[in-house]
Amino acid sequence: MNIVVVGTSYTLFLYLLYSKTWRNDTFVFGECVDEIFLQRLGAKTLFYQKPIRSMSEKIKFLKYLFRMVLFVRVHRSLCVYGNDHIPQAIPFLENGFIVLEEGWANYEHGFAERWQKEHAHCKWPLSIFKKYIPLGYDNAVKQIVLTGMQSVPDRLKEKVFLVNLETLWNKKTSEERREILRVFGMEDDVEGTHERILYLSQPFLHPGTSVLEEDVLRHFRGVVEAYGEKNVVVKPHPFDKFAYKKYFHDIRQIPRECPVEVLLLRKDSYKKILTWPTCSANMRLPRDIPVEYYDVDFREKLPSTYFSLEYLRQ
């Protein structure tokens, strides 16, 4: 049995592709993961963290920490996979993680220095991140599973194990693929996608921006008018709160908890992909589908730190 600490739906998808034994593993979910996965996985769950907005949620999280510290002391031989940068990972850090890629932006130059600066004044239990640098940088990390879309920082090269998503997908049986698609709510076939455009959204309405719903509505209405409502397939960003179906009944909307890689690996074919220039999914977009970058007329309403994952978690 492995412990899998999941901070994003993409990490979960990567692990289901990478692992042959995930049905027998035990999962710990962070607050950025949709609760629906608890039902769809059908696997044992040690903990699911809702956003900590009340004292009761904080007490629940502290109880989890103490319970897991005791659990780890009894099960020292456990192999722990997943995201080591979220609070739910704290009890397992000394075990030595096998880190799963959570986004290539985290491996840009200067990440380790920025992390230590941002966490310099954290209070317990997050104070552990003053010294522990996650995502594979800490000495306790045994291995980092990456998809190899960009160059690997020199200090991490000896730990990196490169995988190819398409190769992992092709190694799965048809039944295993269906099972993974079911976890992400994508077991139904999509017909006629080759005549449609795939719109990859951004969470413009995230709290802290001054963007209004009418701003996003105006922007997306332009997309619909350009391509036709029935020809638009929307893949909402996991943090995107805009209600597309409320205003545009004939568009097709992909479940927001589904990573865009699921669509691409099952060979959904689109006439074009519309995406934001800094969208991390650009690293994995297929070369045989034209990609066009959209812009918005409310850029000035977006804070400079808008696209950092730490900002989106607020």
Side-chain angles (χ1 to χ4, degrees):
M1 177 189 76
N2 298 323
I3 298 292
V4 189
V5 181
V6 180
T8 66
S9 59
Y10 173 70
T11 297
L12 177 61
F13 180 56
L14 177 56
Y15 185 74
L16 298 188
L17 286 180
Y18 179 77
S19 173
K20 297 179 181 179
T21 62
W22 63 264
R23 298 165 196 81
N24 301 318
D25 294 332
T26 300
F27 291 80
V28 173
F29 291 97
E31 63 184 65
C32 292
V33 182
D34 199 299
E35 193 172 1
I36 197 169
F37 291 126
L38 276 68
Q39 292 84 39
R40 290 179 181 169
L41 268 177
K44 183 179 179 183
T45 303
L46 273 177
F47 185 69
Y48 171 72
Q49 176 69 59
K50 294 182 179 180
I52 300 177
R53 298 193 177 102
S54 65
M55 182 57 67
S56 62
E57 286 296 334
K58 185 174 183 179
I59 292 173
K60 179 183 176 183
F61 175 62
L62 294 177
K63 286 182 177 179
Y64 156 78
L65 290 181
F66 286 117
R67 183 162 58 93
M68 287 302 99
V69 167
L70 295 176
F71 179 86
V72 169
R73 287 180 179 177
V74 175
H75 303 86
R76 289 192 175 276
S77 61
L78 282 175
C79 192
V80 185
Y81 288 82
N83 301 135
D84 66 340
H85 66 288
I86 61 176
Q88 294 74 24
I90 289 175
F92 307 100
L93 295 181
E94 291 185 2
N95 267 47
F97 257 72
I98 295 179
V99 171
L100 300 178
E101 176 186 320
E102 197 273 332
W104 267 99
N106 294 315
Y107 296 97
E108 294 176 350
H109 177 71
F111 167 80
E113 292 75 15
R114 289 196 306 273
W115 175 273
Q116 287 187 310
K117 183 178 180 180
E118 291 170 2
H119 293 79
H121 304 290
C122 286
K123 297 180 180 180
W124 187 89
L126 298 183
S127 56
I128 191 173
F129 287 126
K130 292 180 181 180
K131 295 182 178 180
Y132 184 93
I133 305 176
L135 301 166
Y137 289 89
D138 196 88
N139 292 332
V141 171
K142 304 172 183 176
Q143 190 179 71
I144 314 168
V145 179
L146 296 178
T147 54
M149 297 298 172
Q150 291 186 356
S151 59
V152 180
D154 289 339
R155 63 187 290 187
L156 301 179
K157 285 184 177 179
E158 293 184 0
K159 299 181 181 181
V160 168
F161 180 75
L162 294 176
V163 297
N164 182 283
L165 294 180
E166 188 169 9
T167 300
L168 295 176
W169 178 256
N170 290 336
K171 287 182 178 180
K172 298 291 184 182
T173 65
S174 57
E175 180 57 35
E176 288 173 330
R177 293 180 192 175
R178 281 195 295 271
E179 198 168 3
I180 292 174
L181 290 175
R182 182 186 59 79
V183 170
F184 294 96
M186 293 298 296
E187 61 268 41
D188 296 331
D189 293 331
V190 178
E191 299 179 1
T193 55
H194 62 284
E195 292 299 326
R196 297 179 176 181
I197 65 106
L198 176 64
Y199 175 87
L200 305 181
S201 82
Q202 286 292 307
F204 295 121
L205 292 179
H206 191 273
T209 74
S210 58
V211 178
L212 303 176
E213 186 168 341
E214 48 260 42
D215 292 326
V216 181
L217 177 59
R218 183 177 65 255
H219 159 68
F220 191 69
R221 181 176 284 123
V223 174
V224 170
E225 290 175 351
Y227 297 99
E229 191 167 333
K230 293 184 178 180
N231 295 324
V232 177
V233 179
V234 178
K235 167 57 188 77
H237 187 283
F239 299 105
D240 186 4
K241 304 301 182 184
F242 185 73
Y244 294 92
K245 296 291 283 186
K246 174 182 176 181
Y247 299 102
F248 305 98
H249 305 294
D250 291 333
I251 64 168
R252 176 179 174 83
Q253 181 169 324
I254 304 299
R256 69 181 67 251
E257 71 272 9
C258 176
V260 67
E261 290 80 10
V262 174
L263 307 180
L264 305 180
L265 285 176
R266 74 174 195 166
K267 301 301 183 184
D268 287 4
S269 178
Y270 296 95
K271 186 176 182 179
K272 182 188 294 185
I273 296 176
L274 291 180
T275 183
W276 185 257
T278 58
C279 181
S280 63
N282 292 338
M283 302 172 187
R284 308 180 186 94
L285 294 178
R287 295 180 180 179
D288 57 339
I289 302 178
V291 176
E292 183 176 311
Y293 302 109
Y294 60 81
D295 202 351
V296 293
D297 61 7
F298 48 83
R299 271 180 174 262
E300 71 282 356
K301 295 184 178 182
L302 302 174
S304 59
T305 57
Y306 172 76
F307 293 102
S308 72
L309 192 58
E310 288 303 315
Y311 175 85
L312 295 176
R313 286 197 182 108
Q314 292 176 8

